Amino acid sequence: MAGGVTAAALDEQAESFFFRFRVDMRIRHEVTAIHPERRAVSVKKLETGESLRNPMTS
């Protein structure tokens, strides 16, 4: 990875970001839609092209 950052380090950062701010950070995902009325987001896995709808955490 660029800058010497490993995937494991990014995973650790994502986990600590969630515990600190209650924000679910995903690596190699793209948000394609936000559904505030359903408290959900649609995301696309960039590696596979698979589309998912995930509930937002509160």
Side-chain angles (χ1 to χ4, degrees):
M1 294 203 142
V5 178
T6 65
L10 288 175
D11 286 340
E12 285 181 30
Q13 288 176 353
E15 185 176 331
S16 66
F17 195 79
F18 177 79
F19 286 116
R20 185 169 179 193
F21 300 107
R22 303 294 293 172
V23 173
D24 187 4
M25 185 172 79
R26 304 281 175 110
I27 308 302
R28 294 186 214 52
H29 286 68
E30 174 184 352
V31 174
T32 57
I34 300 172
H35 312 284
E37 69 286 350
R38 290 178 255 163
R39 296 191 47 80
V41 293
S42 295
V43 298
K44 177 178 165 183
K45 289 184 176 182
L46 297 178
E47 291 179 343
T48 65
E50 178 183 5
S51 293
L52 308 165
R53 181 174 295 167
N54 293 329
M56 291 188 270
T57 58
S58 55

